[in-house]
Amino acid sequence: MQKIILLIAGLAISVTSVLGQTATPTQRANTRFEQLGAQMPTPNTFRTASGAPGKDYFQNRADYDIKATLDDANQKITASEIITYHNNSSDVLPFLWLQLDQNLFKPDAIGKSTQTNSIDSHQGASLRQLDPNASIQGKDYGQKITAVRDQSGKPIKYTINQTMMRIDLPQPVAPGKSVTFSVDWNFKIVDVKSVGARGGYEYFPKDGNYIYEIAQWFPRLCAYNDVTGWQNKQFLGRGEFTLIFGNYKVALTVPNDHIVGATGELQNPAQILTATQQKRWNEAKNRGDKSGENPVVIVTQAEAEAAEKGKPAGTKTWVFKADNVRDFSFASSRKFIWDALQPTIEGKRVWAMSLYPKEANPLWGQYSTRLVAHTLRSYSRRTIAYPYPVAYSVHGPVGGMEYPMISFNGARPEPDGTYSVSTKNFLIAVVIHEVGHNFFPMIVNSDERQWSWMDEGLNSFLEGLACLEWDADYPATGIDPQHIVPYMQLDSTQQVPIMSSSDNIPGNTFGPNAYTKPATGLNILRETIMGRELFDYAFKEYARRWAFKSPEPADFFRTMEDASGVDLDWFWKGWFYGVQPVDQSLVKVDWFQVNSLNPDVTKAEARTEAQRRMNTISKQRDALSKDQTVVAQDSTMKDFYNRYDPYAVTSEDRKRYQDYVASLSAEERLLAEAGTNFYTLSLKNKGGLPMPVIVRMEFEDGTDSIARFPAEIWRFNDVSIQKVIATSKKVKQWTLDPFYEIADINTSDNSFPPITQPTRFQLFRQRQRGAEPNPMQQQRQQAPARQGTGRN
């Protein structure tokens, strides 16, 4: 260490610095803070530079009148639909494209034939890994189109290409006009667990019954828009759905002992429900606003169990109506328990309902419907008021999948009714997540086939906030920056940018890429870059602008900047278009103090320092023989300098100091007398992705303080910078990113002085581990007499 006296702005500054320091370049050309420019599409009259829909924005519509019959004995659906397609574009359309998603389960489907596989030499491979078609061989899955007719009943030519069907119209549909046609079809329902589907059936061998969760089941229109024209990209199984809005009337004929939930509002409860069920239905109305108010059980567990043992005496037709939705799905089973609330959401009563078998209790009866209501409240505050009349949560074979007004959710307790904390937490997360999808993409209708992150990422972000509003201690790791670190630590060759097409994201990175990385990025924007107030306003404005419309990524990016006044192009470039990580390093800290030149202070400090430096090991060992020196024994060997004190303050010293103080301005005099500490922090951006610099200062008196600097601090040099921080108190410890806000992939170099963490190891003896009981089971084993079955 060495002490240097410098003169800055008329004031003497003393600095204690480390020898051998290298000068930090003050500027390094970089483009990280340049605008996205050509990486985003040019604004036009369809989509503006502000991120809002333009004056010529359009979207086509399709209205459906569907009649379908569920064959419970053969697990088959036979149906017909009348579609009215409205061409709101300025283009003449000679043909229409429809989606046939069930064709994904045909043996020659491109989604199956293009799956890659291998055999692990140590672990082997499952039958599905060896042959992706093994579970569908001989099943005759896929949609069988039996007729396509015009409004007069004449056949219309059609061509099926894998999961897409082109209908060649007898007459092109002109701009502003509509065309009506019908389609008849049937298909065998897939076994969800066997083929890994998003919808299908689950068979319960103990009671011989089925739960049906039916989705992607009817021929439905592809989107035609200003960006892609027809979005007729094949359904490969991962990239989800690109759909258009319309009005639906759907009549579902099922065994007369089934309970059905679906997109839309039930139109004929008086014809479908028993008198007892109607009474309970009416009791559930206007219930759900009071704290702790539990759902009304419309079909009890005892009634569901009785239905499991009975036989249907015929069929019933449940009629549902849904306006301005992009899809339709339903669930049907005699196993369903049914409960409901009707809470007020932003001034309007909305049905919150759950359907689940006895196997889902007690967990589902306690939590599901309450979670539905909570989700609608939370998301409505942050986006737009929930516009639909109902929201279902259904338990069956599908682990988590979303449709307008209805979602299929997993999380099943053990057969004895106990469950682990992970099962409970999964139920909370999956219900919030899938019900939350009503907002993204069911209302803010993004192109899922192309951009998974636009619904999954935004929804996962809101899910995390809603989970924390449900329980402050909930482990909302999906939005916590420190939990995305393992993914961002991967080599860049093992990652793809968030801005990648859904079907081109490798399976092992799909979760982080489409869900947690974009969700975490939004949380970083909200908490660290923009602040909650600016972020919340801009995010809500995006939802308002694009509700019941179809945004593209640029519309989201531009709206967030337009409504907040914050330039975020650097963030979109780094976090969404790139794969570089965040890795900041606090290289060193230099400490400066203003030297006031007051001799009473400076000479006292100099005396103390001189005495400290003179206290060498030799001096300490020679102390006992000090009196034996020549000068000590012979006073004639002393002269002026033996009595001279170079650290004594003289009148001349004080005179010079008074003259110096008189020459200072009031501001300079205040600084000289304040005793302020100046610290120069040397920082490096080793990861590449710039982020705000957040520094915690721990002072010698036990207090601390936080300093925050926006990411633009890196704009002149994106590798190495210096920053001076002034404090009135002395800092003993410096820490970068103390609250783990920026997803720094290496925090070991974030402290100065460096803090060494010990490497810990554990002594253990090897033992064979089997499946351990969950805590609820352990408690029951310890006190079986006090425990019941856990069923309602």
Side-chain angles (χ1 to χ4, degrees):
M1 304 287 286
Q2 67 176 0
K3 198 165 191 177
I4 306 170
I5 302 295
L6 302 174
L7 196 66
I8 299 178
L11 295 178
I13 306 276
S14 70
V15 54
T16 302
S17 64
V18 180
L19 289 172
Q21 68 183 35
T22 57
T24 300
T26 58
Q27 189 167 338
R28 177 185 180 276
N30 70 90
T31 59
R32 295 190 187 276
F33 291 88
E34 294 296 329
Q35 298 300 287
L36 275 166
Q39 288 181 276
M40 288 206 293
T42 303
N44 51 49
T45 57
F46 300 108
R47 298 167 191 272
T48 69
S50 70
K55 66 182 180 65
D56 294 326
Y57 175 83
F58 74 91
Q59 56 190 29
N60 294 346
R61 291 180 60 88
D63 299 328
Y64 298 80
D65 187 343
I66 304 175
K67 294 179 174 62
T69 299
L70 170 63
D71 182 348
D72 188 32
N74 297 295
Q75 293 74 60
K76 183 178 179 180
I77 285 180
T78 302
S80 63
E81 63 184 357
I82 298 172
I83 303 174
T84 301
Y85 183 74
H86 305 271
N87 181 14
N88 296 321
S89 77
S90 58
D91 302 325
V92 175
L93 302 179
F95 53 79
L96 307 179
W97 281 100
L98 279 73
Q99 305 179 55
L100 305 180
D101 304 293
Q102 289 296 315
N103 286 356
L104 175 69
F105 306 111
K106 299 181 73 171
D108 62 345
I110 186 173
K112 297 292 184 184
S113 62
T114 58
Q115 289 182 18
T116 58
N117 51 353
S118 63
I119 301 174
D120 189 298
S121 59
H122 298 289
Q123 298 180 351
S126 68
L127 180 60
R128 187 185 294 179
Q129 289 172 324
L130 290 173
D131 182 5
N133 284 335
S135 60
I136 61 176
Q137 292 293 351
K139 300 293 187 181
D140 196 27
Y141 290 145
Q143 274 155 323
K144 310 293 190 299
I145 304 298
T146 56
V148 180
R149 300 184 180 92
D150 66 15
Q151 201 166 6
S152 66
K154 294 179 180 179
I156 300 177
K157 181 182 177 183
Y158 63 90
T159 301
I160 296 176
N161 175 18
Q162 296 277 327
T163 61
M164 295 289 164
M165 178 171 72
R166 190 188 69 237
I167 294 180
D168 300 329
L169 298 173
Q171 296 294 329
V173 57
K177 301 298 183 180
S178 62
V179 60
T180 299
F181 60 98
S182 65
V183 181
D184 297 343
W185 79 101
N186 63 78
F187 67 95
K188 294 184 69 174
I189 303 169
V190 301
D191 179 342
V192 169
K193 295 184 182 297
S194 174
V195 305
R198 301 171 186 271
Y201 72 78
E202 177 181 6
Y203 177 65
F204 291 79
K206 285 187 177 181
D207 55 53
N209 291 295
Y210 294 82
I211 288 179
Y212 298 94
E213 293 180 325
I214 305 301
Q216 297 94 50
W217 62 285
F218 62 98
R220 51 193 180 161
L221 265 297
C222 294
Y224 182 87
N225 59 41
D226 62 290
V227 177
T228 61
W230 284 110
Q231 172 51 293
N232 53 11
K233 190 176 185 297
Q234 293 289 339
F235 180 36
L236 304 183
R238 171 162 295 159
E240 291 184 343
F241 312 107
T242 309
L243 302 166
I244 60 177
F245 291 104
N247 298 332
Y248 286 73
K249 180 183 178 183
V250 181
L252 301 170
T253 300
V254 301
N256 67 344
D257 57 354
H258 272 214
I259 296 297
V260 179
T263 298
E265 201 164 24
L266 181 62
Q267 299 298 294
N268 58 337
Q271 291 74 42
I272 290 298
L273 304 182
T274 68
T276 300
Q277 291 167 350
Q278 290 184 60
K279 180 174 180 293
R280 295 166 181 165
W281 168 287
N282 290 323
E283 287 176 5
K285 291 180 179 178
N286 304 322
R287 183 169 180 173
D289 288 337
K290 296 178 181 177
S291 177
E293 200 164 26
N294 289 318
V296 173
V297 181
I298 298 172
V299 176
T300 69
Q301 179 163 328
E303 292 165 344
E305 289 177 344
E308 288 178 345
K309 301 169 186 175
K311 295 290 183 181
T315 62
K316 286 184 178 179
T317 299
W318 297 59
V319 180
F320 292 88
K321 186 175 184 296
D323 291 336
N324 212 18
V325 295
R326 63 171 233 158
D327 201 358
F328 189 97
S329 184
F330 70 94
S332 181
S333 179
R334 64 179 53 87
K335 290 177 65 66
F336 280 150
I337 302 163
W338 180 10
D339 66 33
L341 289 171
Q342 199 180 47
T344 301
I345 307 297
E346 300 289 312
K348 186 184 77 171
R349 289 286 181 178
V350 175
W351 281 110
M353 298 181 176
S354 294
L355 301 175
Y356 49 94
K358 64 179 186 299
E359 287 81 2
N361 263 335
L363 194 60
W364 271 67
Q366 182 175 0
Y367 290 110
S368 178
T369 297
R370 292 282 298 273
L371 284 163
V372 173
H374 169 73
T375 305
L376 298 180
R377 291 189 183 100
S378 178
Y379 278 59
S380 293
R381 287 195 302 269
R382 300 187 185 282
T383 58
I384 66 167
Y386 185 68
Y388 296 130
V390 64
Y392 284 94
S393 170
V394 181
H395 181 70
V398 179
M401 198 58 207
E402 69 279 0
Y403 305 96
M405 304 186 224
I406 189 169
S407 61
F408 304 153
N409 304 312
R412 186 173 296 175
E414 302 295 335
D416 64 0
T418 66
Y419 50 86
S420 65
V421 68
S422 62
T423 299
K424 174 188 173 182
N425 285 341
F426 176 58
L427 176 70
I428 294 169
V430 74
V431 173
I432 290 175
H433 183 91
E434 305 304 343
V435 174
H437 268 306
N438 276 291
F439 296 83
F440 302 95
M442 304 305 158
I443 296 170
V444 180
N445 184 31
S446 59
D447 182 349
E448 295 182 275
R449 186 64 48 88
Q450 179 66 26
W451 306 113
S452 289
W453 72 266
M454 285 197 73
D455 72 297
E456 298 297 355
L458 273 61
N459 184 47
S460 294
F461 164 68
L462 291 177
E463 170 208 327
L465 298 184
C467 283
L468 292 172
E469 291 172 342
W470 176 266
D471 183 349
D473 295 324
Y474 185 88
T477 57
I479 61 172
D480 188 343
Q482 60 185 311
H483 286 93
I484 197 63
V485 164
Y487 174 67
M488 299 187 73
Q489 286 174 329
L490 295 176
D491 184 86
S492 61
T493 60
Q494 297 178 273
Q495 302 181 54
V496 295
I498 293 173
M499 288 292 292
S500 298
S501 179
S502 303
D503 286 314
N504 298 333
I505 303 170
N508 61 334
T509 65
F510 187 76
N513 183 280
Y515 293 73
T516 51
K517 187 179 179 184
T520 300
L522 296 181
N523 200 37
I524 292 173
L525 285 177
R526 184 173 188 259
E527 298 289 4
T528 303
I529 295 172
M530 301 171 69
R532 292 187 175 189
E533 182 179 358
L534 288 175
F535 178 93
D536 289 350
Y537 181 88
F539 193 84
K540 193 176 183 76
E541 176 64 11
Y542 167 70
R544 187 196 66 77
R545 284 179 177 182
W546 289 98
F548 300 105
K549 296 182 178 67
S550 298
E552 291 289 314
D555 302 317
F556 176 69
F557 298 152
R558 286 168 168 155
T559 294
M560 291 300 293
E561 297 188 27
D562 179 63
S564 69
V566 180
D567 180 4
L568 298 170
D569 277 31
W570 64 270
F571 183 78
W572 311 132
K573 287 168 68 175
W575 195 269
F576 282 78
Y577 285 86
V579 296
Q580 285 187 319
V582 180
D583 186 5
Q584 295 181 0
S585 173
L586 181 53
V587 179
K588 67 184 181 71
V589 178
D590 292 325
W591 176 29
F592 296 76
Q593 280 187 316
V594 174
N595 188 337
S596 69
L597 299 184
N598 184 340
D600 291 305
V601 175
T602 58
K603 287 197 170 184
E605 290 176 345
R607 183 193 302 278
T608 300
E609 177 64 13
Q611 292 172 345
R612 185 183 69 81
R613 287 183 171 275
M614 289 176 61
N615 189 28
T616 65
I617 188 63
S618 297
K619 284 281 189 180
Q620 295 175 42
R621 291 170 177 171
D622 293 341
L624 296 177
S625 57
K626 182 179 180 180
D627 294 340
Q628 305 301 316
T629 63
V630 172
V631 172
Q633 294 182 358
D634 186 353
S635 61
T636 64
M637 293 296 98
K638 295 180 178 180
D639 66 358
F640 168 80
Y641 290 102
N642 292 95
R643 295 184 296 274
Y644 173 68
D645 181 2
Y647 304 108
V649 180
T650 66
S651 58
E652 289 80 2
D653 292 334
R654 291 190 172 94
K655 176 66 168 58
R656 283 194 297 274
Y657 175 65
Q658 290 169 357
D659 292 342
Y660 162 70
V661 171
S663 69
L664 297 176
S665 67
E667 293 81 5
E668 290 172 333
R669 188 178 301 118
L670 183 62
L671 181 59
E673 295 171 352
T676 303
N677 301 282
F678 296 90
Y679 296 92
T680 298
L681 281 63
S682 296
L683 301 149
K684 283 192 175 179
N685 175 17
K686 299 194 301 182
L689 177 56
M691 274 287 173
V693 173
I694 306 146
V695 187
R696 181 186 184 190
M697 297 163 277
E698 297 177 64
F699 300 110
E700 289 182 342
D701 65 1
T703 61
D704 67 355
S705 181
I706 303 294
R708 294 177 177 269
F709 305 100
E712 285 80 359
I713 196 172
W714 301 99
R715 70 188 185 279
F716 297 126
N717 188 327
D718 64 337
V719 172
S720 184
I721 59 173
Q722 291 183 323
K723 183 65 178 177
V724 175
I725 297 177
T727 70
S728 61
K729 297 183 285 189
K730 292 182 180 179
V731 180
K732 68 175 182 179
Q733 186 66 54
W734 299 81
T735 305
L736 279 181
D737 190 25
F739 306 120
Y740 306 100
E741 297 179 50
I742 60 173
D744 193 321
I745 65 169
N746 177 20
T747 58
S748 65
D749 55 4
N750 283 13
S751 299
F752 194 89
I755 298 176
T756 302
Q757 295 291 343
T759 300
R760 303 185 183 277
F761 66 94
Q762 180 181 3
L763 295 176
F764 64 94
R765 59 193 180 109
Q766 188 172 357
R767 65 187 180 92
Q768 190 72 25
R769 294 179 63 89
E772 295 185 355
N774 62 55
M776 293 176 73
Q777 290 172 325
Q778 292 173 6
Q779 188 180 54
R780 289 187 178 184
Q781 291 169 3
Q782 294 165 3
R786 297 195 301 271
Q787 301 296 325
T789 64
R791 303 286 186 203
N792 289 337

